Amino acid sequence: MSEKSKFSGCPATGIGSMPGGDAREAAKTVTGSFADGQGMPYLAELPARGPGADMIGRSVGLLVEMYGHVEPSGWRISDRPGRDTRRARSWLGEDLDALEEFTQGYEGLLKVQAVGPWTLAAALELRGGEAMLADPGACRDLAGSLAEGLRAHLAEVRRRMPGASVVLQLDEPSLTAVLLGRVRSASGYRTYRAVDRQIVEATLRDVLAAAGEDGTTLVHSCAPEVPVALLRRAGADGISLDFSLLTEREEEAIGEAVEGGTQLFLGVVPSTDAATTALSDPGGSVMGVRTLWRRLGLNPGTLAESVTITPSCGLAGASPAYARTALAHSARAARSLADNPE
């Protein structure tokens, strides 16, 4: 199917964050781990550098005509760009410089990540301290600012890496909590009202559209109960999730997604330093994926086309050595899936 072809040549990738604070070392790792068709390199995020390099701060730096600063409670909206916004933009530039250096002449899929509109609305505070999620108008403004910023960011990445086919990943770990009314208020004593599913879907569709008519998009969540059907309706070409959190309730939606041409990015490799034995058997890492395929009655021959193997979540909490090993293991596990689908 044409949807599947968007991710051809993408057997494995990482989620986004990496340990440490050395942009060149991170870029070298993510490009080297997926060289020679082993997977999809990506623009690494290095949250260990501090506020502005974290996932929320990086996305605040992408916003257009909307700014943020750090309070003890987290990121809060500002009237003008201050030190924290400038730092976020500076680090993003540093990361782009490093990735550009290590992707000279690269042709293939290349992924960039940003926090999606609903996780951003749940994390960003209004001036009074409540989350933007409490104000529907603020949520609309935030989504519009994010979409405009992403269009500019993607254009910059395409200019720097002209041979690459850029994939936009939105990180939405708070999406399920937003849909179910589980996001806690600033006081912690109450939760914000659940947002209507149609509004959530329409907003995601608008932000994903920043990738352009021919762009390729992906939504990631390492939280339980990922709303697979909603993400597909919003236009995501791929859905990334922690495989260990899948339950039987979600299996029907997973099967429909595969049959509809949606790429599954399945996190099967531990994202923090695990016992060495966890990474000693690439085939064992994907055994559960093969089992799921059989249970759903799907053709084993479609596994390698339909599934991309990843760590279970970002690698910021891992040691640098483990992060390198986890990415290499993801590529080996993907090869095992392709060589022995049954």
Side-chain angles (χ1 to χ4, degrees), residues 23 27 30-31 41-44 92-112 153-167:
V30 298
T31 53
Y42 54 95
L43 179 64
L92 175 58
E94 185 180 308
D95 294 338
L96 282 168
D97 289 344
L99 186 63
E100 184 177 7
E101 178 184 344
F102 286 98
T103 53
Q104 292 295 314
Y106 174 74
E107 295 183 355
L109 296 172
L110 177 75
K111 181 164 69 71
V112 299
H153 177 47
L154 292 170
E156 171 76 356
V157 175
R158 289 169 181 141
R159 183 186 66 77
R160 287 171 174 255
M161 298 100 178
S165 299
V166 182
V167 175

Side-chain angles (χ1 to χ4, degrees), residues 18-19 25 29 33 315 319-330 332:
M18 294 288 286
E25 185 60 32
T29 297
S33 298
L315 294 166
S319 67
Y322 181 83
R324 287 191 294 273
T325 302
L327 293 180
H329 185 82
S330 296
R332 287 196 300 271

